[in-house]
DNA sequence: CGGTTGGTTGAGCTGTATCAAAAGATGTGG
DNA sequence: CCACATCTTTTGATACAGCTCAACCAACCG
């Protein structure tokens, strides 16, 4: 979690605009000219690429305080879309770059943030490679639970704002396999899917064991 | 590719030490106290984690100019090991952090570097999720070829300094599947594995088509 | 030349994708 | 507030790709 000094916060506020968007809005498309960097203030965003085969590969979900707008050669790498109604902070890329060049301490926070994301990305890449569908889904629920926990909410109760097919695209399974994997987690008494967008971890010990059994 | 001013280069040289290590040397282990950041000067390094199941997940291969030594809470995240005899530049983590806090322009180079790695990591995570073994291996060869190309060497001839089982651990296949996939690439006339550590792309057009067919 | 490590080939089994269809949610307008 | 239309999710049957186990081959080394 990044903490900023009040001065840093103020510098950022000065070059940022708040944006509210309804669910399913495309924020930007892959290959579009990258003019803005975003931070999630409220809600959930997904970042993905549609592959030639028709499959959609979901690179990452973005939650409160996450930054996004990664570009390469001035073009966005992924397409991003609001999963639910969202509020975003939008920064002009050039202004932000200028600010970072001047304020080494602020830039350092960004460096920490990106480094953290890199770690997470590598970790996910490793975990996602496990072969069993049930384990993959458990891992995903564990990731979401960790996020909830660090946001200070009571754990055990895990919000899943995204759809099953988003989950499928993220963990690299078919939609049907995700469904069967959830059924399996319920049958084994580890997780209860209380509604479409809410899971509850029932047997923490056994659940963690499954997650760790990579 | 990061380019540094001569002043920046000098600042870095002052806090760095050159280290030479024979092949198979463990540079640091997962969970060890993180005191140093490294840059590869010569050779290839692998970064991995051994999982409870006995599988080894290879997070990334590191080549010339790559930085490594990613830590979390003061502990290294992965284990790193020299694949071949290597020369490394070693920086004291605390000294480097101090330098970056003072020199925003230098820090910006690091930010760019880490951002680039993040992009690459996400891209790999997406590509690695394709299901067919032959396509995965082709993708891996393509990654190695891209690296060779950007290093200015003639393409088509792709050095693979790592072992087959390293490749297997990296692309998430069994050793046997990697072997079968290479046989398949040869049978289809796309790639010739000239020796254990050297591949040649024969039919560039068809090869690229396979790589892109995600 | 035996030993060791690294890689290839073969046979059978398991688990996930795929196709197809039913069942549940969600939202809209009357 | 209900009934319909649509979208999402679940369930079922089948095929196939890659894993596993096991044996074999080949390079490299003293």
């Amino acid at each position: 979690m990044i903490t900023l000094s009040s001065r840093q916060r103020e510098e950022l506020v000065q070059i940022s605009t708040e944006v509210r968007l309804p669910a399913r809005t495309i924020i930007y498309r892959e290959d579009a000219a990258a003019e803005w960097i975003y931070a999630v203030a409220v809600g959930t965003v997904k970042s993905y690429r549609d592959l030639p085969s028709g499959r959609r590969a979901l690179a990452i979900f973005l939650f409160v305080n996450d930054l996004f707008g990664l570009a390469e050669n001035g073009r966005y790498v992924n397409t991003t879309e609001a999963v639910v109604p969202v509020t975003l902070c939008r920064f002009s890329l050039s202004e932000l770059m200028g600010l970072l060049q001047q304020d080494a301490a602020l830039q350092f926070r960004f460096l920490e943030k990106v480094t953290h994301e890199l770690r997470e990305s590598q970790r996910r890449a490793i975990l996602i490679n496990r072969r069993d569908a049930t384990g993959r889904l458990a891992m995903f629920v564990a990731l979401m639970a960790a996020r909830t926990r660090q946001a200070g909410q009571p754990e055990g109760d895990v919000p899943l704002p995204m759809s099953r097919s988003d989950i499928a695209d993220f963990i690299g399974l078919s939609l049907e396999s995700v469904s069967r994997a959830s059924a399996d987690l319920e049958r084994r008494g580890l997780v209860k899917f209380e509604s479409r967008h809410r899971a509850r971890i029932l047997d923490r010990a056994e659940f963690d064991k499954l997650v760790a059994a990579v």
Side-chain angles (χ1 to χ4, degrees), chain A:
Chain A
M1 199 84 309
I2 292 194
T3 45
L4 299 170
S5 72
S6 53
R7 192 175 62 75
Q8 288 171 342
R9 205 172 283 279
E10 203 160 309
E11 284 177 335
L12 286 175
V13 165
Q14 287 204 350
I15 62 166
S16 77
T17 315
E18 200 179 270
V19 187
R20 276 161 209 273
L21 301 169
R24 287 156 194 263
T25 312
I26 297 218
I27 301 160
Y28 55 75
R29 286 181 200 280
E30 175 184 347
D31 286 333
E35 295 172 52
W36 311 98
I37 298 258
Y38 298 85
V40 180
V42 178
T44 305
V45 169
K46 62 182 176 186
S47 171
Y48 62 86
R49 286 173 68 106
D50 285 316
L51 306 174
S53 63
R55 269 188 62 226
R56 167 170 295 179
L58 222 150
I60 189 169
F61 290 106
L62 300 145
F63 303 97
V64 175
N65 286 325
D66 284 337
L67 290 172
F68 65 101
L70 202 64
E72 182 163 39
N73 304 322
R75 309 255 146 207
Y76 289 119
V77 178
N78 295 329
T79 300
T80 53
E81 185 180 324
V83 171
V84 294
V86 297
T87 307
L88 306 174
C89 276
R90 195 179 70 178
F91 303 90
S92 149
L93 181 59
S94 54
E95 285 185 70
L96 182 61
M97 291 302 116
L99 187 55
L100 293 186
Q101 302 256 19
Q102 279 156 29
D103 185 340
L106 177 62
Q107 187 187 165
F108 201 71
R109 298 283 156 262
F110 274 79
L111 184 56
E112 285 178 336
K113 179 80 180 166
V114 177
T115 305
H116 179 73
E117 301 243 328
L118 178 57
R119 264 194 312 260
E120 286 300 306
S121 175
Q122 283 194 4
R123 183 167 303 163
R124 255 204 330 278
I126 287 179
L127 285 176
I128 254 172
N129 240 331
R130 60 188 303 176
R131 12 221 92 279
D132 60 313
T134 308
R136 276 201 202 191
L137 181 62
M139 173 214 84
F140 176 73
V141 174
L143 281 176
M144 291 302 114
R147 222 197 47 73
T148 311
R149 190 171 342 130
Q150 90 180 20
Q153 266 122 61
E155 59 172 307
D157 192 27
V158 187
L160 303 173
M162 67 293 292
S163 71
R164 302 289 156 159
S165 67
D166 285 340
I167 298 177
D169 291 338
F170 182 68
I171 63 181
L173 292 175
S174 67
L175 170 59
E176 296 91 327
S177 289
V178 171
S179 184
R180 282 185 249 269
S182 347
D184 192 34
L185 284 176
E186 293 214 325
R187 203 174 318 111
R188 290 157 74 169
L190 303 182
V191 178
K192 175 88 176 65
F193 292 87
E194 304 191 321
S195 77
R196 210 171 258 192
H197 296 302
R198 170 158 256 88
R200 175 174 297 281
I201 298 173
L202 298 176
D203 185 341
R204 191 73 197 181
E206 279 301 308
F207 177 77
D208 286 343
K209 204 184 291 177
L210 173 58
V211 171
V214 184

